[in-house]
Amino acid sequence: MVALESSVLAQGLPPRANRQAAQLMLEAVRQGSALPAITAIVKGVPAVGLDDSELEHLLRRDGWSKVSARDIPAAMARKADGATTVAAAILIARQAGIDVFATGGIGGVHRDATHDESADLAELARSPMIVVCSGAKSILDLRATVERLETLGVPVIGYRTSELPGFFCAETGILLDTSVETTDEVADIFLASRTIGREAALLIVQPPPASHAMPREVVDAAVKQALARARDEGVRGAAVTPFLLAAVEKETDGRTLGTNLALLEANSRLAAEIAVALAARRRENRE
Ligand code: PSU
Ligand code: MN
């Protein structure tokens, strides 16, 4: 099984694209011979895998708040609907016994010095799972995010790359200590991590598909503009990430949207292949 988040569908992507994103992710996991499970809080119940009517309800977005790990108890008690961030999704997926999760980009340390650091990082440190993504979103301070992941004991492993990808672009100039070429290697590292009782996730990063990757300078310029607007408008808290993602899309005349969809699909596909490799390794180990 491969778990997926839902905040990207309810808040991260523009409304006109979320249906396509959901379909691309679900289909990519199935094509990789795994079962997809979108995580969410549905009327107060943590859910792993949505039925058609629940997915429709989510895609319409009315009344869905962004739920990080700390927000789950209140959403449950109030019987509210909540779209899960990476932090909330991996918490729920873990409890359902799922080992592999895919998303576009994790949250991280924000660029302005306002102590804004995504709760994704702390949750990654205590969620023994394989998390497949294209790095952290370009709107963040990527060096600071990598440093925090190191402090928290979360390995960042490049999948067929030795460089941290920059979400919308392939390159960041930040070199990784570990990279792998195959899904079997990912499975072996994860099993070794579990053998010695590590509780941290493995972050598997791959660049956006070459056909959709954007030039680094274009992304950097758009992010600078977006950050200036967020500052001017005084955006705070959970609203920061959705605001910046929308602003970057505007600054690039919508080009980042195509990249976002392509990398969500590619990461879902890779996560499925890793889940299959992990299941095969476990079978071999039992025999
Ligand atoms: N990456 C995207 N789109 C998104 C997000 C990440 O391309 O919508 C979401 C994820 O759900 C991630 C969250 O967990 O943003 C991080 O938000 P914050 O910085 O508020 O923790
Ligand atoms: Mn934040």
Side-chain angles (χ1 to χ4, degrees):
M1 285 187 82
V2 171
L4 303 165
E5 59 151 309
S6 49
S7 178
V8 66
L9 300 174
Q11 285 98 22
L13 290 165
R16 63 194 150 81
N18 67 350
R19 180 174 304 272
Q20 193 188 355
Q23 280 161 358
L24 286 171
M25 287 193 283
L26 293 169
E27 195 46 40
V29 172
R30 291 192 190 108
Q31 277 182 5
S33 305
L35 268 179
I38 295 178
T39 59
I41 310 293
V42 182
K43 297 189 178 68
V45 181
V48 181
L50 303 181
D51 65 25
D52 288 347
S53 74
E54 289 166 341
L55 181 58
E56 272 310 308
H57 179 37
L58 170 72
L59 293 175
R60 278 198 304 274
R61 293 185 176 204
D62 7 300
W64 289 80
S65 55
K66 175 175 164 183
V67 168
S68 187
R70 70 166 187 178
D71 310 314
I72 294 175
M76 289 170 68
R78 292 172 182 164
K79 307 205 180 333
D81 290 324
T84 45
T85 65
V86 170
I90 58 179
L91 189 158
I92 294 174
R94 189 63 215 157
Q95 293 198 353
I98 298 177
D99 296 303
V100 187
F101 169 81
T103 187
I106 60 164
V109 182
H110 282 260
R111 290 196 197 183
D112 42 12
T114 54
H115 298 280
D116 189 350
E117 174 179 322
S118 175
D120 289 356
L121 300 187
E123 212 56 41
L124 284 165
R126 51 180 171 244
S127 305
M129 307 202 45
I130 297 169
V131 172
V132 182
C133 65
S134 300
K137 285 155 292 171
S138 319
I139 55 175
L140 300 168
D141 183 333
L142 296 183
R143 280 191 192 277
T145 300
V146 164
E147 291 295 341
R148 282 293 292 148
L149 286 166
E150 184 187 352
T151 304
L152 291 166
V154 179
V156 183
I157 298 174
Y159 190 80
R160 298 185 179 164
T161 181
S162 53
E163 190 176 342
L164 182 77
F167 193 69
F168 296 127
C169 53
E171 64 289 328
T172 56
I174 300 173
L175 293 181
L176 300 172
D177 297 324
T178 313
S179 62
V180 296
E181 294 295 322
T182 67
T183 53
D184 284 343
E185 289 171 89
V186 176
D188 288 342
I189 295 172
F190 181 66
L191 291 173
S193 173
R194 298 305 294 139
T195 300
I196 57 161
R198 297 282 301 156
E199 290 296 319
L202 286 191
L203 201 62
I204 306 298
V205 297
Q206 69 171 350
S211 52
H212 287 81
M214 294 176 58
R216 188 173 165 186
E217 315 75 61
V218 174
V219 175
D220 280 348
V223 168
K224 284 207 181 81
Q225 292 294 325
L227 287 168
R229 278 181 45 204
R231 223 173 7 247
D232 290 350
E233 297 183 28
V235 183
R236 294 265 181 286
V240 171
T241 293
F243 178 91
L244 289 175
L245 288 170
V248 169
E249 197 205 320
K250 216 181 249 169
E251 291 297 332
T252 59
D253 297 321
R255 277 180 69 196
T256 53
L257 179 58
T259 310
N260 213 333
L261 292 174
L263 63 84
L264 283 167
E265 181 180 25
N267 295 344
S268 303
R269 178 67 189 243
L270 176 58
E273 289 166 2
I274 290 171
V276 169
L278 183 60
R281 272 291 195 266
R282 284 194 168 128
R283 255 194 320 273
E284 283 163 27
N285 290 347
R286 272 199 304 272
E287 278 161 10

